[in-house]
Amino acid sequence: MMERMREVTAGINVEELHPKERADFVLIKDIKLLHHIGDIVTYSSTALEQCRVKKVGCFERLPKEKSISFSLSIEAPDSSLLSVPLSSLRCSLVPVRKGDQLIHTIVTTTSTNPGVYRIQCSLSTSGTHMIKVQVYNVQTEDVSLVVPINPYLKNIAPLHIIDELNGPWGVAVSNNGNRIIVTENLGQCITILDREGKKVKSLGGKGGSGNVKLSFPRGLAITPDNFILVSDDHRIQKISMDGYFVASVGENGSESLQFKAPRSMAISPITGQVYIADRDNHRIQVLNPDLTFSHSFGKIGSADGQFLFPLGIAIDSQGFVYVSDFGCHRIQKFFSDGSFLAQFGTEGPGPGQLNSPFGIAIDTAATGLVYVSEYGNHRISVFTGEGVFISRFESQGSKVDSPCGLTFDKDGFLYVCDFSNNQLIVH
């Protein structure tokens, strides 16, 4: 029936009948009566110009095509979803502050979601892009879109580089995304930056705000109520965002609530518990949200569930724990109680191999992929949560000598500490 309707309407000069309108036949999703299977809908240029584009759902990775995709809908002035033929729809992206070069896309639809369009593209830059949509050659209002890293690229240009840091080791982002927190290990302080990388304040160190004293701060984590946890010597300190001491736990030793050179930390999004890489005790120590002891797992060795200087730690949205086993050149994955689940990576410079893995970050806002900073290979390697190698990349135009801590923010931006070059690289 649809084919017959196209044959009939093919001979009609729509421009002569309605010079300022477009017409389309929209099939009803749930057909109940054969004499009414759809509607003829007209679109005026003015109405199309007032349509709004909205992103639907999260970014998805496409391994076979080595690109990423997202979905969008077009909302008419009356708040209904616009459903038009693919032949009448064009979509492109323009990176903000990266020139006016259009990034063309492939647009498809699904039969299960009328009015939702799938946009596939290969992007070389992350950050804010403008979505440009044309319907029947009428340009809708541009909408901004924050694009995450394309994990299939070999070289990724930094959005910007924040320098003049003194041995940046760990990095975290505040819960509202407005503050970037960096530990300056050699500067013996914590530096808080705004989203543009401008210094807001320093905590500890010479001339720092508040009453915090730090020796050699390293790992960072932000609690759900927006306090800073920092690993410092053989203890964990809890600090307010304005730099005032709240609590401290730990001392030198190997018992519960004792540490030997604690490093990275991660907070479970499910339980709120704090997981700490207790490096020289070759274990992970887990604290409750009130910083009392919960449990620990691991001991020195190279077998499953054992460690040789664990450094980095991250927890995904399902509560699985990932640990960078620095001395064994691998990543180990655990259940939340410390039961061993899997491992991936072997020593070497090749694809999927690791050399002194340091920090771990999981792109929970977009692709769910696991990013590992390799201190020995001077690069970032990307894996799926199951340990399947995706790609490896370096910062294009910026040599990274010693990538350490790294993290993602809620918009999919990746922050990497480059210890030796005293800089924080933002992708």
Side-chain angles (χ1 to χ4, degrees):
M1 186 176 292
M2 294 293 291
E3 292 178 0
R4 176 59 181 154
M5 290 187 64
R6 280 194 289 268
E7 291 177 7
V8 173
T9 57
I12 300 175
N13 190 333
V14 179
E15 292 294 339
E16 286 185 4
L17 296 175
H18 303 284
K20 294 183 179 181
E21 292 185 335
R22 297 286 182 174
D24 185 32
F25 177 80
V26 178
L27 185 68
I28 293 176
K29 184 177 180 182
D30 297 320
I31 300 175
K32 292 183 172 60
L33 298 173
L34 289 178
H35 67 268
H36 183 204
I37 64 170
D39 299 301
I40 299 294
V41 181
T42 60
Y43 309 107
S44 68
S45 297
T46 302
L48 289 174
E49 289 172 353
Q50 295 173 350
C51 288
R52 295 180 298 174
V53 175
K54 290 187 175 182
K55 178 177 173 288
V56 179
C58 298
F59 283 91
E60 297 179 359
R61 61 185 184 87
L62 304 173
K64 187 177 295 185
E65 298 85 354
K66 293 192 174 181
S67 60
I68 59 177
S69 73
F70 63 97
S71 297
L72 60 79
S73 63
I74 305 170
E75 190 176 272
D78 63 357
S79 298
S80 63
L81 289 185
L82 203 63
S83 182
V84 297
L86 282 178
S87 59
S88 66
L89 184 63
R90 297 286 184 274
C91 178
S92 57
L93 301 180
V94 178
V96 175
R97 301 177 183 174
K98 295 288 183 179
D100 298 326
Q101 184 176 0
L102 289 176
I103 301 169
H104 297 287
T105 68
I106 299 172
V107 184
T108 56
T109 59
T110 62
S111 59
T112 56
N113 294 301
V116 176
Y117 302 90
R118 187 172 184 240
I119 312 299
Q120 177 184 328
C121 51
S122 180
L123 299 170
S124 59
T125 59
S126 58
T128 304
H129 290 61
M130 300 304 296
I131 307 177
K132 293 184 174 292
V133 174
Q134 284 187 342
V135 182
Y136 294 116
N137 297 322
V138 176
Q139 181 76 46
T140 64
E141 184 179 352
D142 291 348
V143 176
S144 65
L145 173 71
V146 176
V147 177
I149 287 176
N150 184 344
Y152 303 102
L153 298 178
K154 293 183 178 179
N155 290 291
I156 297 179
L159 292 176
H160 60 274
I161 296 175
I162 303 167
D163 51 18
E164 298 183 359
L165 299 171
N166 194 355
W169 199 103
V171 59
V173 179
S174 63
N175 296 331
N176 60 12
N178 293 332
R179 293 290 182 262
I180 306 162
I181 300 96
V182 183
T183 52
E184 295 189 54
N185 180 258
L186 302 181
Q188 299 177 306
C189 66
I190 295 173
T191 295
I192 299 180
L193 312 166
D194 64 17
R195 287 296 298 268
E196 301 301 319
K198 296 179 181 178
K199 184 176 178 179
V200 176
K201 65 178 71 174
S202 287
L203 313 179
K206 295 181 178 180
S209 303
N211 62 351
V212 176
K213 293 183 179 180
L214 300 168
S215 297
F216 294 97
R218 292 181 172 87
L220 279 173
I222 307 299
T223 66
D225 50 355
N226 220 37
F227 285 91
I228 300 170
L229 297 181
V230 57
S231 60
D232 181 35
D233 277 348
H234 308 298
R235 61 181 176 173
I236 307 299
Q237 292 201 67
K238 184 177 182 179
I239 304 167
S240 67
M241 280 288 174
D242 53 4
Y244 286 90
F245 173 84
V246 177
S248 177
V249 295
E251 60 182 0
N252 189 12
S254 302
E255 302 299 323
S256 300
L257 284 181
Q258 293 182 336
F259 302 95
K260 285 188 176 180
R263 293 302 189 251
S264 297
M265 293 178 289
I267 297 177
S268 169
I270 299 174
T271 66
Q273 291 180 311
V274 184
Y275 289 68
I276 304 163
D278 193 358
R279 191 193 71 172
D280 290 0
N281 279 323
H282 311 284
R283 67 181 180 184
I284 304 300
Q285 197 164 172
V286 184
L287 308 185
N288 295 312
D290 62 357
L291 302 185
T292 57
F293 177 78
S294 173
H295 62 281
S296 64
F297 56 93
K299 62 180 181 179
I300 189 169
S302 58
D304 293 348
Q306 297 179 346
F307 302 108
L308 188 59
F309 304 114
L311 287 186
I313 190 165
I315 303 174
D316 67 16
S317 59
Q318 296 177 292
F320 293 115
V321 182
Y322 300 78
V323 180
S324 62
D325 196 356
F326 185 87
C328 292
H329 310 284
R330 63 181 176 177
I331 304 298
Q332 295 197 68
K333 182 177 180 180
F334 299 87
F335 291 102
S336 58
D337 63 357
S339 301
F340 174 81
L341 181 58
Q343 67 169 351
F344 52 91
T346 58
E347 183 178 5
Q353 294 184 313
L354 301 169
N355 187 343
S356 304
F358 204 109
I360 305 177
I362 300 174
D363 185 9
T364 55
T367 59
L369 297 176
V370 181
Y371 288 66
V372 181
S373 61
E374 295 186 64
Y375 199 89
N377 281 329
H378 317 291
R379 68 187 184 196
I380 309 296
S381 283
V382 187
F383 301 85
T384 68
E386 292 71 41
V388 177
F389 175 73
I390 296 295
S391 65
R392 55 187 181 178
F393 68 87
E394 299 174 355
S395 294
Q396 187 177 17
S398 175
K399 180 175 173 58
V400 181
D401 286 333
S402 49
C404 299
L406 69 168
T407 194
F408 279 96
D409 66 15
K410 60 183 178 61
D411 294 322
F413 292 108
L414 176 65
Y415 301 80
V416 181
C417 291
D418 185 4
F419 185 87
S420 296
N421 287 325
N422 296 313
Q423 60 186 13
L424 179 70
I425 302 173
V426 185
H427 293 289

